[in-house]
PDB file of all heavy atoms in Angstrom:
ATOM      1  N   GLY A1388      22.895   2.108   2.376  1.00 71.00           N
ATOM      2  CA  GLY A1388      23.424   2.562   3.658  1.00 71.00           C
ATOM      3  C   GLY A1388      23.866   4.006   3.621  1.00 71.00           C
ATOM      4  O   GLY A1388      23.555   4.794   4.526  1.00 71.00           O
ATOM      5  N   VAL A1389      24.594   4.377   2.566  1.00 80.00           N
ATOM      6  CA  VAL A1389      25.047   5.767   2.420  1.00 80.00           C
ATOM      7  C   VAL A1389      23.845   6.702   2.288  1.00 80.00           C
ATOM      8  O   VAL A1389      23.810   7.790   2.882  1.00 80.00           O
ATOM      9  CB  VAL A1389      25.981   5.898   1.209  1.00 80.00           C
ATOM     10  CG1 VAL A1389      26.277   7.367   0.911  1.00 80.00           C
ATOM     11  CG2 VAL A1389      27.283   5.141   1.456  1.00 80.00           C
ATOM     12  N   HIS A1390      22.858   6.264   1.500  1.00 69.00           N
ATOM     13  CA  HIS A1390      21.660   7.098   1.314  1.00 69.00           C
ATOM     14  C   HIS A1390      20.951   7.349   2.640  1.00 69.00           C
ATOM     15  O   HIS A1390      20.611   8.485   2.974  1.00 69.00           O
ATOM     16  CB  HIS A1390      20.709   6.419   0.334  1.00 69.00           C
ATOM     17  CG  HIS A1390      19.384   7.103   0.209  1.00 69.00           C
ATOM     18  ND1 HIS A1390      19.221   8.308  -0.458  1.00 69.00           N
ATOM     19  CD2 HIS A1390      18.153   6.767   0.694  1.00 69.00           C
ATOM     20  CE1 HIS A1390      17.945   8.672  -0.385  1.00 69.00           C
ATOM     21  NE2 HIS A1390      17.286   7.764   0.296  1.00 69.00           N
ATOM     22  N   PHE A1391      20.731   6.280   3.417  1.00 63.00           N
ATOM     23  CA  PHE A1391      20.031   6.435   4.694  1.00 63.00           C
ATOM     24  C   PHE A1391      20.890   7.153   5.727  1.00 63.00           C
ATOM     25  O   PHE A1391      20.377   7.907   6.556  1.00 63.00           O
ATOM     26  CB  PHE A1391      19.593   5.080   5.226  1.00 63.00           C
ATOM     27  CG  PHE A1391      18.416   4.495   4.499  1.00 63.00           C
ATOM     28  CD1 PHE A1391      18.432   3.185   4.048  1.00 63.00           C
ATOM     29  CD2 PHE A1391      17.287   5.253   4.258  1.00 63.00           C
ATOM     30  CE1 PHE A1391      17.353   2.645   3.372  1.00 63.00           C
ATOM     31  CE2 PHE A1391      16.201   4.734   3.588  1.00 63.00           C
ATOM     32  CZ  PHE A1391      16.234   3.428   3.138  1.00 63.00           C
ATOM     33  N   ALA A1392      22.216   6.908   5.703  1.00 76.00           N
ATOM     34  CA  ALA A1392      23.091   7.562   6.681  1.00 76.00           C
ATOM     35  C   ALA A1392      23.111   9.074   6.483  1.00 76.00           C
ATOM     36  O   ALA A1392      23.371   9.822   7.435  1.00 76.00           O
ATOM     37  CB  ALA A1392      24.504   6.995   6.581  1.00 76.00           C
ATOM     38  N   ARG A1393      22.851   9.532   5.261  1.00 75.00           N
ATOM     39  CA  ARG A1393      22.845  10.981   4.974  1.00 75.00           C
ATOM     40  C   ARG A1393      21.434  11.559   4.988  1.00 75.00           C
ATOM     41  O   ARG A1393      21.240  12.722   4.652  1.00 75.00           O
ATOM     42  CB  ARG A1393      23.477  11.224   3.610  1.00 75.00           C
ATOM     43  CG  ARG A1393      24.927  10.761   3.509  1.00 75.00           C
ATOM     44  CD  ARG A1393      25.476  10.975   2.112  1.00 75.00           C
ATOM     45  NE  ARG A1393      25.448  12.373   1.751  1.00 75.00           N
ATOM     46  CZ  ARG A1393      25.705  12.823   0.521  1.00 75.00           C
ATOM     47  NH1 ARG A1393      26.000  11.977  -0.446  1.00 75.00           N
ATOM     48  NH2 ARG A1393      25.669  14.115   0.263  1.00 75.00           N
ATOM     49  N   PHE A1394      20.462  10.740   5.387  1.00 64.00           N
ATOM     50  CA  PHE A1394      19.065  11.164   5.360  1.00 64.00           C
ATOM     51  C   PHE A1394      18.843  12.353   6.287  1.00 64.00           C
ATOM     52  O   PHE A1394      19.346  12.404   7.397  1.00 64.00           O
ATOM     53  CB  PHE A1394      18.167  10.005   5.784  1.00 64.00           C
ATOM     54  CG  PHE A1394      16.696  10.300   5.681  1.00 64.00           C
ATOM     55  CD1 PHE A1394      16.063  10.290   4.458  1.00 64.00           C
ATOM     56  CD2 PHE A1394      15.956  10.580   6.813  1.00 64.00           C
ATOM     57  CE1 PHE A1394      14.711  10.542   4.362  1.00 64.00           C
ATOM     58  CE2 PHE A1394      14.605  10.839   6.731  1.00 64.00           C
ATOM     59  CZ  PHE A1394      13.981  10.822   5.500  1.00 64.00           C
ATOM     60  N   ARG A1395      18.074  13.305   5.803  1.00 66.00           N
ATOM     61  CA  ARG A1395      17.787  14.495   6.601  1.00 66.00           C
ATOM     62  C   ARG A1395      16.373  14.960   6.332  1.00 66.00           C
ATOM     63  O   ARG A1395      15.934  15.009   5.179  1.00 66.00           O
ATOM     64  CB  ARG A1395      18.774  15.614   6.260  1.00 66.00           C
ATOM     65  CG  ARG A1395      18.593  16.854   7.122  1.00 66.00           C
ATOM     66  CD  ARG A1395      19.680  17.872   6.840  1.00 66.00           C
ATOM     67  NE  ARG A1395      19.560  19.024   7.709  1.00 66.00           N
ATOM     68  CZ  ARG A1395      20.389  20.059   7.691  1.00 66.00           C
ATOM     69  NH1 ARG A1395      21.409  20.059   6.835  1.00 66.00           N
ATOM     70  NH2 ARG A1395      20.217  21.069   8.513  1.00 66.00           N
ATOM     71  N   ILE A1396      15.653  15.263   7.400  1.00 53.00           N
ATOM     72  CA  ILE A1396      14.288  15.759   7.280  1.00 53.00           C
ATOM     73  C   ILE A1396      14.294  17.255   7.516  1.00 53.00           C
ATOM     74  O   ILE A1396      14.740  17.727   8.559  1.00 53.00           O
ATOM     75  CB  ILE A1396      13.356  15.087   8.304  1.00 53.00           C
ATOM     76  CG1 ILE A1396      13.377  13.561   8.102  1.00 53.00           C
ATOM     77  CG2 ILE A1396      11.938  15.610   8.178  1.00 53.00           C
ATOM     78  CD1 ILE A1396      12.549  12.818   9.119  1.00 53.00           C
ATOM     79  N   ALA A1397      13.803  17.982   6.547  1.00 54.00           N
ATOM     80  CA  ALA A1397      13.727  19.435   6.690  1.00 54.00           C
ATOM     81  C   ALA A1397      12.483  19.792   7.490  1.00 54.00           C
ATOM     82  O   ALA A1397      11.384  19.342   7.170  1.00 54.00           O
ATOM     83  CB  ALA A1397      13.667  20.101   5.318  1.00 54.00           C
ATOM     84  N   PRO A1398      12.625  20.577   8.557  1.00 51.00           N
ATOM     85  CA  PRO A1398      11.448  20.969   9.347  1.00 51.00           C
ATOM     86  C   PRO A1398      10.436  21.699   8.494  1.00 51.00           C
ATOM     87  O   PRO A1398      10.783  22.576   7.698  1.00 51.00           O
ATOM     88  CB  PRO A1398      12.039  21.898  10.414  1.00 51.00           C
ATOM     89  CG  PRO A1398      13.471  21.504  10.501  1.00 51.00           C
ATOM     90  CD  PRO A1398      13.869  21.132   9.104  1.00 51.00           C
ATOM     91  N   ARG A1399       9.192  21.320   8.608  1.00 47.00           N
ATOM     92  CA  ARG A1399       8.135  21.965   7.851  1.00 47.00           C
ATOM     93  C   ARG A1399       6.808  21.686   8.540  1.00 47.00           C
ATOM     94  O   ARG A1399       6.726  20.880   9.453  1.00 47.00           O
ATOM     95  CB  ARG A1399       8.097  21.453   6.412  1.00 47.00           C
ATOM     96  CG  ARG A1399       7.800  19.967   6.300  1.00 47.00           C
ATOM     97  CD  ARG A1399       8.008  19.504   4.877  1.00 47.00           C
ATOM     98  NE  ARG A1399       7.697  18.096   4.738  1.00 47.00           N
ATOM     99  CZ  ARG A1399       8.108  17.355   3.740  1.00 47.00           C
ATOM    100  NH1 ARG A1399       8.874  17.877   2.805  1.00 47.00           N
ATOM    101  NH2 ARG A1399       7.771  16.087   3.655  1.00 47.00           N
ATOM    102  N   SER A1400       5.783  22.319   8.051  1.00 46.00           N
ATOM    103  CA  SER A1400       4.465  22.109   8.635  1.00 46.00           C
ATOM    104  C   SER A1400       3.978  20.717   8.297  1.00 46.00           C
ATOM    105  O   SER A1400       4.317  20.164   7.245  1.00 46.00           O
ATOM    106  CB  SER A1400       3.480  23.144   8.074  1.00 46.00           C
ATOM    107  OG  SER A1400       3.425  23.042   6.665  1.00 46.00           O
ATOM    108  N   PRO A1401       3.193  20.118   9.189  1.00 46.00           N
ATOM    109  CA  PRO A1401       2.698  18.759   8.956  1.00 46.00           C
ATOM    110  C   PRO A1401       1.970  18.629   7.631  1.00 46.00           C
ATOM    111  O   PRO A1401       1.200  19.499   7.232  1.00 46.00           O
ATOM    112  CB  PRO A1401       1.743  18.513  10.131  1.00 46.00           C
ATOM    113  CG  PRO A1401       2.186  19.478  11.185  1.00 46.00           C
ATOM    114  CD  PRO A1401       2.702  20.690  10.449  1.00 46.00           C
ATOM    115  N   THR A1402       2.231  17.535   6.943  1.00 45.00           N
ATOM    116  CA  THR A1402       1.580  17.279   5.671  1.00 45.00           C
ATOM    117  C   THR A1402       0.165  16.789   5.912  1.00 45.00           C
ATOM    118  O   THR A1402      -0.068  15.922   6.742  1.00 45.00           O
ATOM    119  CB  THR A1402       2.354  16.210   4.882  1.00 45.00           C
ATOM    120  OG1 THR A1402       3.685  16.688   4.687  1.00 45.00           O
ATOM    121  CG2 THR A1402       1.696  15.935   3.541  1.00 45.00           C
ATOM    122  N   VAL A1403      -0.762  17.351   5.172  1.00 44.00           N
ATOM    123  CA  VAL A1403      -2.142  16.930   5.287  1.00 44.00           C
ATOM    124  C   VAL A1403      -2.353  15.724   4.392  1.00 44.00           C
ATOM    125  O   VAL A1403      -2.139  15.785   3.186  1.00 44.00           O
ATOM    126  CB  VAL A1403      -3.114  18.067   4.879  1.00 44.00           C
ATOM    127  CG1 VAL A1403      -4.555  17.586   4.950  1.00 44.00           C
ATOM    128  CG2 VAL A1403      -2.899  19.283   5.776  1.00 44.00           C
ATOM    129  N   VAL A1404      -2.756  14.617   4.985  1.00 45.00           N
ATOM    130  CA  VAL A1404      -2.993  13.396   4.235  1.00 45.00           C
ATOM    131  C   VAL A1404      -4.462  13.320   3.866  1.00 45.00           C
ATOM    132  O   VAL A1404      -5.332  13.379   4.731  1.00 45.00           O
ATOM    133  CB  VAL A1404      -2.593  12.153   5.061  1.00 45.00           C
ATOM    134  CG1 VAL A1404      -2.865  10.884   4.273  1.00 45.00           C
ATOM    135  CG2 VAL A1404      -1.130  12.258   5.461  1.00 45.00           C
ATOM    136  N   THR A1405      -4.734  13.203   2.576  1.00 45.00           N
ATOM    137  CA  THR A1405      -6.109  13.140   2.124  1.00 45.00           C
ATOM    138  C   THR A1405      -6.700  11.782   2.443  1.00 45.00           C
ATOM    139  O   THR A1405      -6.115  10.754   2.090  1.00 45.00           O
ATOM    140  CB  THR A1405      -6.173  13.357   0.591  1.00 45.00           C
ATOM    141  OG1 THR A1405      -5.567  14.616   0.287  1.00 45.00           O
ATOM    142  CG2 THR A1405      -7.620  13.348   0.105  1.00 45.00           C
ATOM    143  N   PRO A1406      -7.822  11.746   3.111  1.00 46.00           N
ATOM    144  CA  PRO A1406      -8.428  10.456   3.437  1.00 46.00           C
ATOM    145  C   PRO A1406      -8.722   9.651   2.181  1.00 46.00           C
ATOM    146  O   PRO A1406      -9.170  10.196   1.168  1.00 46.00           O
ATOM    147  CB  PRO A1406      -9.729  10.851   4.156  1.00 46.00           C
ATOM    148  CG  PRO A1406      -9.478  12.238   4.670  1.00 46.00           C
ATOM    149  CD  PRO A1406      -8.601  12.882   3.644  1.00 46.00           C
ATOM    150  N   VAL A1407      -8.472   8.371   2.234  1.00 47.00           N
ATOM    151  CA  VAL A1407      -8.732   7.486   1.108  1.00 47.00           C
ATOM    152  C   VAL A1407      -9.882   6.569   1.478  1.00 47.00           C
ATOM    153  O   VAL A1407      -9.866   5.937   2.532  1.00 47.00           O
ATOM    154  CB  VAL A1407      -7.472   6.649   0.770  1.00 47.00           C
ATOM    155  CG1 VAL A1407      -7.740   5.765  -0.436  1.00 47.00           C
ATOM    156  CG2 VAL A1407      -6.289   7.566   0.516  1.00 47.00           C
ATOM    157  N   ARG A1408     -10.844   6.472   0.580  1.00 45.00           N
ATOM    158  CA  ARG A1408     -12.003   5.642   0.866  1.00 45.00           C
ATOM    159  C   ARG A1408     -11.636   4.163   0.764  1.00 45.00           C
ATOM    160  O   ARG A1408     -10.768   3.762   0.011  1.00 45.00           O
ATOM    161  CB  ARG A1408     -13.124   5.964  -0.122  1.00 45.00           C
ATOM    162  CG  ARG A1408     -13.701   7.374   0.066  1.00 45.00           C
ATOM    163  CD  ARG A1408     -14.870   7.593  -0.864  1.00 45.00           C
ATOM    164  NE  ARG A1408     -15.457   8.912  -0.688  1.00 45.00           N
ATOM    165  CZ  ARG A1408     -16.503   9.355  -1.375  1.00 45.00           C
ATOM    166  NH1 ARG A1408     -17.067   8.596  -2.294  1.00 45.00           N
ATOM    167  NH2 ARG A1408     -16.970  10.564  -1.149  1.00 45.00           N
ATOM    168  N   GLY A1409     -12.380   3.348   1.469  1.00 50.00           N
ATOM    169  CA  GLY A1409     -12.140   1.913   1.414  1.00 50.00           C
ATOM    170  C   GLY A1409     -11.734   1.366   2.760  1.00 50.00           C
ATOM    171  O   GLY A1409     -11.348   2.093   3.666  1.00 50.00           O
ATOM    172  N   ARG A1410     -11.850   0.073   2.896  1.00 88.00           N
ATOM    173  CA  ARG A1410     -11.484  -0.573   4.148  1.00 88.00           C
ATOM    174  C   ARG A1410      -9.979  -0.485   4.354  1.00 88.00           C
ATOM    175  O   ARG A1410      -9.203  -0.590   3.402  1.00 88.00           O
ATOM    176  CB  ARG A1410     -11.944  -2.018   4.119  1.00 88.00           C
ATOM    177  CG  ARG A1410     -13.462  -2.170   4.042  1.00 88.00           C
ATOM    178  CD  ARG A1410     -13.845  -3.646   3.998  1.00 88.00           C
ATOM    179  NE  ARG A1410     -15.295  -3.804   3.899  1.00 88.00           N
ATOM    180  CZ  ARG A1410     -16.123  -3.805   4.935  1.00 88.00           C
ATOM    181  NH1 ARG A1410     -15.639  -3.641   6.160  1.00 88.00           N
ATOM    182  NH2 ARG A1410     -17.414  -3.953   4.774  1.00 88.00           N
ATOM    183  N   PRO A1411      -9.525  -0.325   5.598  1.00 89.00           N
ATOM    184  CA  PRO A1411      -8.088  -0.197   5.863  1.00 89.00           C
ATOM    185  C   PRO A1411      -7.265  -1.375   5.342  1.00 89.00           C
ATOM    186  O   PRO A1411      -6.196  -1.183   4.762  1.00 89.00           O
ATOM    187  CB  PRO A1411      -8.031  -0.095   7.389  1.00 89.00           C
ATOM    188  CG  PRO A1411      -9.349   0.491   7.776  1.00 89.00           C
ATOM    189  CD  PRO A1411     -10.328  -0.090   6.811  1.00 89.00           C
ATOM    190  N   PHE A1412      -7.756  -2.618   5.531  1.00 92.00           N
ATOM    191  CA  PHE A1412      -7.003  -3.780   5.067  1.00 92.00           C
ATOM    192  C   PHE A1412      -6.815  -3.739   3.558  1.00 92.00           C
ATOM    193  O   PHE A1412      -5.711  -3.953   3.039  1.00 92.00           O
ATOM    194  CB  PHE A1412      -7.722  -5.072   5.465  1.00 92.00           C
ATOM    195  CG  PHE A1412      -6.990  -6.320   5.051  1.00 92.00           C
ATOM    196  CD1 PHE A1412      -6.057  -6.908   5.891  1.00 92.00           C
ATOM    197  CD2 PHE A1412      -7.228  -6.895   3.811  1.00 92.00           C
ATOM    198  CE1 PHE A1412      -5.372  -8.065   5.510  1.00 92.00           C
ATOM    199  CE2 PHE A1412      -6.562  -8.045   3.417  1.00 92.00           C
ATOM    200  CZ  PHE A1412      -5.630  -8.623   4.264  1.00 92.00           C
ATOM    201  N   ALA A1413      -7.900  -3.445   2.840  1.00 90.00           N
ATOM    202  CA  ALA A1413      -7.826  -3.378   1.381  1.00 90.00           C
ATOM    203  C   ALA A1413      -6.910  -2.241   0.936  1.00 90.00           C
ATOM    204  O   ALA A1413      -6.180  -2.369  -0.058  1.00 90.00           O
ATOM    205  CB  ALA A1413      -9.223  -3.194   0.790  1.00 90.00           C
ATOM    206  N   LEU A1414      -6.935  -1.137   1.681  1.00 86.00           N
ATOM    207  CA  LEU A1414      -6.067  -0.008   1.350  1.00 86.00           C
ATOM    208  C   LEU A1414      -4.604  -0.396   1.486  1.00 86.00           C
ATOM    209  O   LEU A1414      -3.791  -0.162   0.586  1.00 86.00           O
ATOM    210  CB  LEU A1414      -6.391   1.173   2.257  1.00 86.00           C
ATOM    211  CG  LEU A1414      -5.488   2.403   2.139  1.00 86.00           C
ATOM    212  CD1 LEU A1414      -5.546   2.965   0.715  1.00 86.00           C
ATOM    213  CD2 LEU A1414      -5.889   3.465   3.154  1.00 86.00           C
ATOM    214  N   GLY A1415      -4.245  -0.999   2.617  1.00 88.00           N
ATOM    215  CA  GLY A1415      -2.863  -1.406   2.823  1.00 88.00           C
ATOM    216  C   GLY A1415      -2.416  -2.434   1.802  1.00 88.00           C
ATOM    217  O   GLY A1415      -1.302  -2.357   1.267  1.00 88.00           O
ATOM    218  N   PHE A1416      -3.287  -3.410   1.514  1.00 92.00           N
ATOM    219  CA  PHE A1416      -2.943  -4.458   0.544  1.00 92.00           C
ATOM    220  C   PHE A1416      -2.727  -3.860  -0.837  1.00 92.00           C
ATOM    221  O   PHE A1416      -1.756  -4.183  -1.532  1.00 92.00           O
ATOM    222  CB  PHE A1416      -4.044  -5.506   0.495  1.00 92.00           C
ATOM    223  CG  PHE A1416      -3.722  -6.694  -0.369  1.00 92.00           C
ATOM    224  CD1 PHE A1416      -3.117  -7.821   0.175  1.00 92.00           C
ATOM    225  CD2 PHE A1416      -4.003  -6.687  -1.722  1.00 92.00           C
ATOM    226  CE1 PHE A1416      -2.804  -8.912  -0.619  1.00 92.00           C
ATOM    227  CE2 PHE A1416      -3.688  -7.762  -2.529  1.00 92.00           C
ATOM    228  CZ  PHE A1416      -3.090  -8.887  -1.975  1.00 92.00           C
ATOM    229  N   SER A1417      -3.625  -2.974  -1.252  1.00 87.00           N
ATOM    230  CA  SER A1417      -3.542  -2.418  -2.601  1.00 87.00           C
ATOM    231  C   SER A1417      -2.320  -1.519  -2.775  1.00 87.00           C
ATOM    232  O   SER A1417      -1.694  -1.510  -3.840  1.00 87.00           O
ATOM    233  CB  SER A1417      -4.822  -1.631  -2.936  1.00 87.00           C
ATOM    234  OG  SER A1417      -4.991  -0.545  -2.030  1.00 87.00           O
ATOM    235  N   VAL A1418      -1.971  -0.768  -1.732  1.00 82.00           N
ATOM    236  CA  VAL A1418      -0.799   0.113  -1.826  1.00 82.00           C
ATOM    237  C   VAL A1418       0.470  -0.702  -2.014  1.00 82.00           C
ATOM    238  O   VAL A1418       1.318  -0.386  -2.860  1.00 82.00           O
ATOM    239  CB  VAL A1418      -0.697   1.010  -0.573  1.00 82.00           C
ATOM    240  CG1 VAL A1418       0.650   1.725  -0.538  1.00 82.00           C
ATOM    241  CG2 VAL A1418      -1.823   2.033  -0.561  1.00 82.00           C
ATOM    242  N   SER A1419       0.629  -1.784  -1.246  1.00 85.00           N
ATOM    243  CA  SER A1419       1.816  -2.632  -1.386  1.00 85.00           C
ATOM    244  C   SER A1419       1.778  -3.432  -2.681  1.00 85.00           C
ATOM    245  O   SER A1419       2.796  -3.584  -3.358  1.00 85.00           O
ATOM    246  CB  SER A1419       1.935  -3.590  -0.197  1.00 85.00           C
ATOM    247  OG  SER A1419       2.390  -2.906   0.946  1.00 85.00           O
ATOM    248  N   ALA A1420       0.599  -3.956  -3.035  1.00 84.00           N
ATOM    249  CA  ALA A1420       0.481  -4.756  -4.257  1.00 84.00           C
ATOM    250  C   ALA A1420       0.742  -3.923  -5.501  1.00 84.00           C
ATOM    251  O   ALA A1420       1.182  -4.447  -6.529  1.00 84.00           O
ATOM    252  CB  ALA A1420      -0.904  -5.392  -4.330  1.00 84.00           C
ATOM    253  N   ALA A1421       0.494  -2.625  -5.414  1.00 78.00           N
ATOM    254  CA  ALA A1421       0.716  -1.744  -6.558  1.00 78.00           C
ATOM    255  C   ALA A1421       2.186  -1.382  -6.737  1.00 78.00           C
ATOM    256  O   ALA A1421       2.523  -0.591  -7.618  1.00 78.00           O
ATOM    257  CB  ALA A1421      -0.106  -0.471  -6.406  1.00 78.00           C
ATOM    258  N   ASN A1422       3.047  -1.960  -5.915  1.00 72.00           N
ATOM    259  CA  ASN A1422       4.483  -1.680  -5.984  1.00 72.00           C
ATOM    260  C   ASN A1422       5.236  -2.975  -6.298  1.00 72.00           C
ATOM    261  O   ASN A1422       5.888  -3.558  -5.423  1.00 72.00           O
ATOM    262  CB  ASN A1422       4.964  -1.087  -4.652  1.00 72.00           C
ATOM    263  CG  ASN A1422       6.418  -0.669  -4.705  1.00 72.00           C
ATOM    264  OD1 ASN A1422       6.990  -0.484  -5.782  1.00 72.00           O
ATOM    265  ND2 ASN A1422       7.043  -0.542  -3.548  1.00 72.00           N
ATOM    266  N   PRO A1423       5.178  -3.452  -7.561  1.00 68.00           N
ATOM    267  CA  PRO A1423       5.811  -4.730  -7.918  1.00 68.00           C
ATOM    268  C   PRO A1423       7.325  -4.723  -7.796  1.00 68.00           C
ATOM    269  O   PRO A1423       7.951  -5.786  -7.836  1.00 68.00           O
ATOM    270  CB  PRO A1423       5.386  -4.933  -9.383  1.00 68.00           C
ATOM    271  CG  PRO A1423       5.079  -3.567  -9.885  1.00 68.00           C
ATOM    272  CD  PRO A1423       4.518  -2.824  -8.709  1.00 68.00           C
ATOM    273  N   VAL A1424       7.927  -3.541  -7.609  1.00 68.00           N
ATOM    274  CA  VAL A1424       9.375  -3.502  -7.412  1.00 68.00           C
ATOM    275  C   VAL A1424       9.766  -4.227  -6.134  1.00 68.00           C
ATOM    276  O   VAL A1424      10.939  -4.590  -5.950  1.00 68.00           O
ATOM    277  CB  VAL A1424       9.868  -2.040  -7.379  1.00 68.00           C
ATOM    278  CG1 VAL A1424       9.504  -1.370  -6.060  1.00 68.00           C
ATOM    279  CG2 VAL A1424      11.371  -1.964  -7.616  1.00 68.00           C
ATOM    280  N   LEU A1425       8.798  -4.484  -5.257  1.00 77.00           N
ATOM    281  CA  LEU A1425       9.085  -5.221  -4.026  1.00 77.00           C
ATOM    282  C   LEU A1425       9.634  -6.615  -4.315  1.00 77.00           C
ATOM    283  O   LEU A1425      10.464  -7.128  -3.561  1.00 77.00           O
ATOM    284  CB  LEU A1425       7.820  -5.334  -3.168  1.00 77.00           C
ATOM    285  CG  LEU A1425       7.354  -4.052  -2.472  1.00 77.00           C
ATOM    286  CD1 LEU A1425       6.003  -4.265  -1.808  1.00 77.00           C
ATOM    287  CD2 LEU A1425       8.385  -3.595  -1.454  1.00 77.00           C
ATOM    288  N   ILE A1426       9.177  -7.238  -5.410  1.00 76.00           N
ATOM    289  CA  ILE A1426       9.684  -8.573  -5.717  1.00 76.00           C
ATOM    290  C   ILE A1426      11.157  -8.504  -6.103  1.00 76.00           C
ATOM    291  O   ILE A1426      11.937  -9.417  -5.816  1.00 76.00           O
ATOM    292  CB  ILE A1426       8.850  -9.236  -6.834  1.00 76.00           C
ATOM    293  CG1 ILE A1426       9.152 -10.734  -6.865  1.00 76.00           C
ATOM    294  CG2 ILE A1426       9.111  -8.597  -8.174  1.00 76.00           C
ATOM    295  CD1 ILE A1426       8.223 -11.518  -7.777  1.00 76.00           C
ATOM    296  N   ILE A1427      11.555  -7.387  -6.730  1.00 75.00           N
ATOM    297  CA  ILE A1427      12.964  -7.204  -7.068  1.00 75.00           C
ATOM    298  C   ILE A1427      13.772  -6.951  -5.800  1.00 75.00           C
ATOM    299  O   ILE A1427      14.871  -7.486  -5.617  1.00 75.00           O
ATOM    300  CB  ILE A1427      13.122  -6.032  -8.054  1.00 75.00           C
ATOM    301  CG1 ILE A1427      12.341  -6.324  -9.343  1.00 75.00           C
ATOM    302  CG2 ILE A1427      14.592  -5.776  -8.365  1.00 75.00           C
ATOM    303  CD1 ILE A1427      12.355  -5.176 -10.331  1.00 75.00           C
TER     304      ILE A1427
END
């Protein structure tokens, strides 16, 4: 709560996101599945 309550975004130019190959569903699944800390 303290971390999010103090959250601040510094104005900057938009970040360019590099396109990732693969189907969107597989991309979303793999990104979340690659983060096992979610079970904790």
Side-chain angles (χ1 to χ4, degrees):
V1389 171
H1390 173 73
F1391 286 131
R1393 299 177 61 189
F1394 185 77
R1395 184 174 183 179
I1396 302 177
R1399 62 189 181 199
S1400 58
T1402 301
V1403 178
V1404 179
T1405 303
V1407 182
R1408 293 184 179 181
R1410 296 179 181 275
F1412 181 90
L1414 174 60
F1416 186 92
S1417 61
V1418 169
S1419 285
N1422 185 19
V1424 75
L1425 287 173
I1426 195 171
I1427 300 176

